[in-house]
Amino acid sequence: MEMHQVRYFLAVAQLLNFTRAAEECNVTQPSLTRAIKQLEAELGGDLFRRERPAAQLTELGQRMHPLLKQCYDAAAGARSLASSFKGGEIGALRIALTHSIDLALLIPHLNEIKRQFNRLELRFLRGSSREVAEFLKKGEAELGIAAEIDESWERLDVWPLFTEGFELVVSSGHRLAGRSNVELDDLRAEQLLGRTFCEHSSRIAASLREHGIEHGHEISSERDLIELVEADVGVAMVPHTSQVPESLKRAAVTGLDARRTVSLYGVAGRQRTAVANAVMRMLRGADWRQIAG
């Protein structure tokens, strides 16, 4: 089945006249008639009754009409979309982030990208560092952002963006809420909420254990962590760039050796969309010093 056959069929179905349909499609009537006969042969029956003065759809033609129209509209939509992408009118970006990366880091750059395209289509994927690597390998994401991807794949490109430390967050009513700095000894009596979704959670836990401090609870999402801290169920160590409500109080922890480097990841040798290339240039060229503290 060819698209021009479907187009001719739809024209005759609308005008109910082979001559006028041929004029509408800018072809000769014999060419149009021959194409419809070929379509009828493929479908196994007549689509029209050739009556004068007007042609009529057969039962098969009536049943096929909505299906062929849907098929033709979908093909036309696909051509239009492809043309828009090629002409730069539509930009698409597929990016994967680990659960510990705050999307707020990308917002200023996405706002800048929006000005460059009439229409922007974004797809964000979340996962562990291993899942982000798989998204990149399979082509489901063009770019990835993670604190660390433990992957030795030779095609994985890595561009470090910034390095940041971790801070203590507590509820506004907590005994440590009024302090800008706390000592590790201050945490011995606290219930610590472990961010198991963070790539560095095991390292932070190990560093705390060296000082006799154990995590009291394991939390698998940032939202749950925030709600538990707000409820004063426990306290948590979060990266400097993590967005937390103003109701929570931050404090630096003296003596805690915990830092992470957030990096941008891509696949070497794989063609990227114009949006992905623009975002990559923005992220690599950004001044992260103020954001990362």
Side-chain angles (χ1 to χ4, degrees):
M1 184 185 302
E2 302 289 341
M3 278 299 108
H4 73 278
Q5 296 171 336
V6 177
R7 181 164 67 95
Y8 297 167
F9 164 79
L10 294 174
V12 177
Q14 179 183 7
L15 300 172
L16 297 178
N17 185 288
F18 277 71
T19 301
R20 290 173 56 197
E23 293 172 354
E24 179 77 15
C25 295
N26 198 28
V27 295
T28 64
Q29 182 175 335
S31 295
L32 181 138
T33 301
R34 183 166 55 252
I36 288 181
K37 284 186 176 295
Q38 291 171 346
L39 182 60
E40 289 174 327
E42 292 180 26
L43 296 177
D46 292 340
L47 297 172
F48 297 99
R49 291 191 295 272
R50 276 73 167 174
E51 298 179 354
R52 293 184 181 275
Q56 299 293 329
L57 282 168
T58 63
E59 179 69 21
L60 176 61
Q62 292 176 6
R63 290 180 178 271
M64 293 303 302
H65 183 270
L67 300 176
L68 293 177
K69 188 175 188 309
Q70 182 181 14
C71 176
Y72 183 78
D73 289 345
R79 286 195 298 268
S80 175
L81 181 62
S83 177
S84 296
F85 270 102
K86 187 176 181 180
E89 298 175 13
I90 297 179
L93 173 66
R94 291 170 287 115
I95 187 167
L97 304 93
T98 55
H99 295 297
S100 69
I101 301 297
D102 200 306
L103 190 60
L105 294 172
L106 296 181
I107 299 301
H109 306 286
L110 296 179
N111 285 333
E112 180 63 29
I113 287 293
K114 282 167 55 180
R115 302 186 184 99
Q116 302 180 24
F117 295 87
N118 294 333
R119 178 177 162 194
L120 190 60
E121 296 182 352
L122 304 174
R123 184 186 182 196
F124 296 102
L125 301 170
R126 287 283 190 178
S128 65
S129 59
R130 180 174 298 179
E131 288 169 333
V132 168
E134 286 300 311
F135 289 143
L136 291 168
K137 282 184 179 181
K138 296 177 181 178
E140 296 177 26
E142 296 178 278
L143 300 174
I145 300 180
E148 180 179 304
I149 290 182
D150 185 16
E151 174 61 60
S152 59
W153 189 36
E154 66 278 2
R155 292 188 61 191
L156 197 63
D157 278 337
V158 185
W159 300 281
L161 300 178
F162 60 86
T163 299
E164 63 178 339
F166 284 75
E167 300 171 328
L168 179 73
V169 290
V170 300
S171 68
S172 57
H174 193 274
R175 66 182 182 88
L176 300 175
R179 298 168 58 176
S180 58
N181 289 274
V182 299
E183 302 290 334
L184 282 170
D185 286 344
D186 294 322
L187 303 180
R188 295 187 190 279
E190 299 297 332
Q191 286 289 321
L192 279 159
L193 306 178
R195 303 166 75 248
T196 58
F197 53 90
C198 177
E199 299 94 305
H200 284 64
S201 62
S202 59
R203 296 182 187 176
I204 294 174
S207 179
L208 291 171
R209 277 196 299 271
E210 291 177 0
H211 296 84
I213 302 170
E214 294 285 345
H215 279 134
H217 308 288
E218 294 187 351
I219 314 302
S220 59
S221 80
E222 192 85 337
R223 180 176 179 179
D224 292 344
L225 183 91
I226 296 301
E227 291 184 355
L228 289 170
V229 174
E230 287 181 324
D232 208 16
V233 172
V235 300
M237 301 297 303
V238 302
H240 178 76
T241 55
S242 289
Q243 298 290 311
V244 299
E246 294 183 1
S247 59
L248 299 185
K249 305 302 178 182
R250 294 176 179 263
V253 181
T254 303
L256 178 65
D257 182 19
R259 298 180 68 78
R260 72 173 189 172
T261 297
V262 174
S263 299
L264 174 68
Y265 294 84
V267 180
R270 182 176 292 169
Q271 186 175 2
R272 302 183 185 93
T273 63
V275 179
N277 282 325
V279 169
M280 183 176 68
R281 288 193 297 269
M282 284 184 179
L283 295 180
R284 294 179 63 188
D287 184 357
W288 297 98
R289 287 173 295 183
Q290 183 175 357
I291 297 175

